[in-house]
């Protein structure tokens, strides 16, 4: 039993580090939704492990249900903060870092929507597909808003510098490509051919709305690290965030390319569908290769940080979702190309993802119980 778990099970009074339990609401920030991203992607990855996937599917389903409860709890707490402390809650829009985490809300919702397809159909029947479809459009609207409004505030209200830049800048813009990949998973389950076409076309637009911007940020991030070295230890996990748009970009191209032939052929565009399928495979493979480089780099950076000792914070959830979506893209390449190499690599990555989820989850549970993780920097630094 870890010291973190022992502090919870040992009877320590909950929220003991807060002046009043109400502070949990007052200090609640969107950073917590990163936990739903990490939990959701692990739930989706487990059933895809070759050989033992069917045995792991019940575990993934339990995690999916847990993730729904977690998302509902966080949404309730954040909604309560706006209702009770709205004058402080709105300060988030002027905060250089915390505002970026607004993008974790639609991305966390996307994992729940994908779970409706992976687990909900078998559990509740096809009636859950229209529910997932409605939730997906809500997710699309939030992702589009995050992708443009947060950068707009960066350009007009925030104070940024190259030496202070981190991969957190990616969070608001990546939400759209996550929604796009989710649309690729959703489209084949829709019964209306027109709805399938609209979902497919919208998903391609979402991919284009996000990926070029994200890759522009990645180019600047490489320059920033070459000139100013690694960011502060409190942002140690941010090195993994770059793997998110790469892995999601690959997954999006693969699933949309797989959808395209049947959906476009039904609308007289069979030739376009065949081309889209080929582009999807090649683009997915190329992006996976880029992700492999960043995975190796992030691993080396993490070893360096951890040797020096890194204090825990909610940013550690940044280790999970990027690794998870890259893992799912790896499995997809394995099934698309029928190459066992990708299945093996995906299995190894799933083990690493599960281990990291357990570690970060235990530390988050302990910190939430004590109350020391409920900190809102935008209150400490008024705008």
């Amino acid at each position: 039993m870890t010291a973190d778990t022992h502090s919870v099970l040992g009877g320590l009074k909950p929220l003991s580090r807060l002046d009043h339990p109400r502070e949990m609401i007052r200090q609640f920030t969107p950073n917590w939704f990163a936990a739903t991203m990490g939990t959701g992607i692990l739930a989706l990855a487990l059933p895809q492990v070759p050989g033992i996937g069917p045995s792991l599917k019940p575990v993934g389903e339990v995690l999916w249900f847990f993730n729904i409860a977690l998302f509902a709890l966080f949404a309730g707490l954040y909604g309560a903060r706006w209702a009770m402390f709205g004058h402080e809650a709105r300060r988030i829009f002027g905060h250089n870092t915390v505002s970026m985490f607004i993008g974790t809300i639609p991305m966390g919702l996307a994992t729940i929507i994908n779970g409706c397809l992976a687990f909900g159909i078998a559990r509740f029947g096809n009636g859950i597909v229209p529910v997932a479809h409605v939730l997906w459009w809500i997710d699309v609207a939030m992702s589009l808003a995050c992708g443009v409004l947060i950068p707009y505030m960066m350009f007009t209200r925030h104070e940024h510098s190259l030496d202070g830049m981190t991969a957190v800048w990616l969070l608001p813009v990546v939400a759209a490509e996550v929604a796009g990949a989710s649309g690729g998973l959703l489209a084949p389950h829709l019964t209306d051919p027109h709805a399938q076409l609209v979902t497919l076309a919208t998903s391609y637009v979402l991919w284009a709305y996000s990926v070029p911007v994200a890759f522009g940020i990645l180019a600047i991030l490489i320059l920033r690290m070459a000139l100013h070295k690694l960011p502060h230890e409190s942002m140690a996990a941010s090195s993994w965030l770059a793997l998110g748009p790469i892995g999601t970009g690959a997954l999006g191209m693969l699933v949309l390319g797989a959808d395209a032939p049947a959906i476009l052929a039904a609308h007289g565009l069979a030739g376009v569908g065949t081309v889209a399928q080929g582009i999807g495979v090649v683009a997915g493979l190329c992006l996976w290769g880029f992700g492999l480089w960043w995975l190796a780099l992030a691993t080396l950076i993490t070893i360096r940080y951890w040797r020096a000792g890194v204090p825990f914070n909610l940013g550690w959830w940044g280790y999970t979702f990027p690794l998870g979506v890259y893992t799912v893209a790896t499995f997809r390449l394995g099934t698309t190309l029928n190459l066992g190499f990708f299945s093996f690599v995906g299995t190894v990555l799933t083990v690493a993802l599960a281990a990291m989820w357990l570690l970060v989850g235990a530390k988050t549970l302990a910190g939430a119980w004590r109350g020391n993780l409920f900190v809102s920097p935008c209150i400490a630094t008024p705008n």
Side-chain angles (χ1 to χ4, degrees):
M1 179 168 29
T2 66
D4 291 317
T5 308
H6 181 75
S7 68
V8 174
L9 300 180
L12 183 68
K13 181 182 177 182
L15 304 179
S16 59
R17 302 290 179 84
L18 298 178
D19 295 335
H20 190 280
R22 187 174 58 242
E23 285 294 295
M24 179 178 66
I25 296 175
R26 180 172 176 258
Q27 301 281 352
F28 193 85
T29 62
N31 305 47
W32 285 89
F33 285 92
T36 67
M37 295 169 60
T39 303
I41 199 63
L42 176 60
L44 295 168
L46 288 176
Q48 300 184 50
V49 177
I52 61 173
S55 300
L56 294 175
K57 187 172 181 178
V59 180
E61 185 176 3
V62 170
L63 284 174
W64 175 58
F65 280 118
F66 173 66
N67 202 37
I68 293 172
L70 208 60
F71 190 92
L73 172 64
F74 292 166
L77 288 172
Y78 196 46
R81 185 188 184 195
W82 275 92
M84 297 170 62
F85 306 100
H87 62 293
E88 292 179 333
R90 66 173 60 97
R91 293 179 184 174
I92 188 174
F93 298 117
H95 196 277
N96 293 358
T97 302
V98 184
S99 59
M100 306 296 165
F101 284 88
I102 294 175
T104 63
I105 300 177
M107 287 191 281
L109 179 59
T111 65
I112 294 175
I113 296 168
N114 296 344
C116 290
L117 308 174
F119 309 109
I121 294 176
R123 176 65 60 181
F124 304 110
N126 289 326
I128 200 171
V129 174
V131 176
H133 195 198
V134 171
L135 290 175
W136 182 73
W137 279 112
I138 294 172
D139 190 66
V140 168
M142 289 194 296
S143 299
L144 290 173
C146 288
V148 70
L149 294 180
I150 302 302
Y152 175 75
M153 287 186 286
M154 291 175 67
F155 303 158
T156 58
R157 294 184 59 181
H158 298 173
E159 294 292 335
H160 293 282
S161 60
L162 184 61
D163 63 323
M165 177 195 186
T166 68
V168 171
W169 283 21
L170 291 164
L171 289 176
V173 300
V174 172
E177 66 177 283
V178 173
S182 297
L185 297 171
L186 175 63
H189 294 278
L190 301 175
T191 56
D192 179 19
H194 179 70
Q196 288 184 331
L197 179 62
V198 170
T199 301
L200 179 70
T202 302
S203 297
Y204 270 114
V205 171
L206 289 167
W207 192 95
Y209 186 90
S210 171
V211 173
V213 181
F215 275 51
I217 293 173
L218 287 179
I220 300 171
L221 181 64
I222 294 172
L223 174 65
R224 174 254 178 270
M225 290 196 296
L227 295 180
H228 302 287
K229 311 311 173 192
L230 300 179
H232 187 267
E233 62 182 16
S234 63
M235 302 299 292
S238 67
S239 59
W240 286 85
L241 295 180
L243 194 60
I246 300 171
T248 307
L251 180 62
M253 282 289 98
L254 288 166
V255 296
L256 293 174
D259 294 344
I263 294 176
L264 293 180
H267 294 82
L269 297 169
V272 177
T274 302
V275 172
Q277 184 179 36
I279 291 175
V281 175
V282 174
L285 192 58
C286 291
L287 288 173
W288 190 88
F290 181 28
L292 183 63
W293 178 82
W294 205 287
L295 175 66
L297 183 66
T299 300
L300 292 175
I301 291 173
T302 300
I303 292 172
R304 182 184 180 93
Y305 273 122
W306 283 24
R307 280 181 175 175
V310 181
F312 177 75
N313 58 57
L314 284 176
W316 278 36
W317 283 103
Y319 292 117
T320 57
F321 183 79
L323 177 59
V325 76
Y326 186 73
T327 300
V328 173
T330 303
F331 282 135
R332 190 77 184 201
L333 274 173
T335 57
T336 300
L337 299 174
N338 195 27
L339 291 176
F341 167 78
F342 290 105
S343 298
F344 172 76
V345 173
T347 301
V348 173
L349 294 177
T350 302
V351 172
L353 172 62
M356 185 57 68
W357 182 85
L358 288 171
L359 172 64
V360 180
K363 289 183 174 294
T364 302
L365 176 62
W369 183 269
R370 293 190 298 261
N372 60 292
L373 289 181
F374 293 102
V375 178
S376 177
C378 37
I379 293 178
T381 310
N383 299 299

